[in-house]
């Protein structure tokens, strides 16, 4: 079974976090939601209370097929500042696992730590200067280059999540999920 890690933090974008989790679970993915804080409870950017399955420290040694980051502020900054998460992203990148981020996270996390160097990427408009070393693609809601998928923001959370699912589980499974969601 395909395994995915979705790290969350205080200030993660509500719609993005929930959409990623929901779409991938509908697709049959073994998904783990992990808090980068010392508490499983986080308050999302717009006040939604989210409960992680585990703390990031609980799964630090585990390998996943993908790590998918929601955006939101200051959630993306908390993800960026989690050295444990960055170490996990580096380890997964070396193994060519799928790395995906939406909204502020492509710039704030991936850009800061070099995961989009020499790649095409997108992000929430206004954060593009943070895509250090990347070619910013402004007119595409979701961009994939190599093992990295980036998305623009909350309204694109469904397309982004379906793109991640398609890369993990194939187009047929993704079409089934999309039909069930009326996409």
């Amino acid at each position: 079974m395909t395994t995915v890690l979705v790290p969350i933090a205080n200030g993660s974008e509500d719609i993005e976090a929930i959409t990623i989790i929901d779409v991938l679970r509908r697709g049959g993915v073994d998904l783990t939601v992990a808090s980068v804080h010392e508490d499983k409870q986080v308050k999302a950017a717009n006040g939604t209370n989210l409960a992680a399955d585990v703390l990031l420290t609980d799964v630090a040694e585990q390998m996943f097929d993908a790590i998918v980051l929601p955006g939101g502020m200051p959630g993306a900054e908390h993800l960026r500042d989690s050295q444990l998460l960055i170490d996990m992203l580096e380890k997964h990148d070396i193994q060519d696992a799928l790395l995906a981020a939406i909204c502020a996270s492509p710039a704030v996390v991936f850009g800061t730590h070099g995961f989009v160097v020499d790649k095409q990427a997108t992000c929430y408009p206004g954060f593009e200067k943070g895509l250090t070393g990347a070619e910013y693609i402004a007119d595409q809601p979701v961009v994939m280059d190599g093992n990295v998928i980036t998305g623009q923001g909350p309204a694109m959370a469904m397309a982004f999540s379906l793109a991640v699912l398609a890369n993990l589980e194939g187009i047929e499974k993704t079409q089934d999920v999309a039909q069930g969601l009326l996409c």
Side-chain angles (χ1 to χ4, degrees), residues 1-35:
M1 182 176 269
T2 303
T3 59
V4 175
L5 175 67
V6 177
I8 60 172
N10 289 320
S12 288
E13 167 51 50
D14 314 47
I15 291 171
E16 294 164 359
I18 292 167
T19 303
I20 292 164
I21 293 163
D22 184 73
V23 168
L24 295 179
R25 284 189 172 154
R26 285 174 191 252
V29 169
D30 180 11
L31 187 136
T32 301
V33 180
S35 168

Side-chain angles (χ1 to χ4, degrees), residues 54-129:
V54 297
L55 300 178
L56 190 62
T57 54
D58 297 332
V59 294
E61 300 304 316
Q62 194 171 330
M63 286 300 292
F64 295 88
D65 295 303
I67 299 177
V68 185
L69 309 181
M73 292 297 279
E77 293 171 328
H78 291 304
L79 299 179
R80 174 198 66 202
D81 296 341
S82 169
Q83 189 58 53
L84 179 56
L85 176 59
I86 302 312
D87 292 345
M88 291 178 74
L89 286 165
E90 289 173 351
K91 182 170 71 172
H92 282 74
D93 192 32
I94 290 168
Q95 296 297 319
D96 212 29
L98 186 65
L99 305 182
I102 188 169
C103 194
S105 286
V108 174
V109 182
F110 287 0
T112 298
H113 294 286
F115 294 104
V116 290
V117 171
D118 296 327
K119 295 188 183 293
Q120 293 184 330
T122 194
C123 64
Y124 193 86
F127 283 84
E128 59 271 10
K129 287 183 181 174

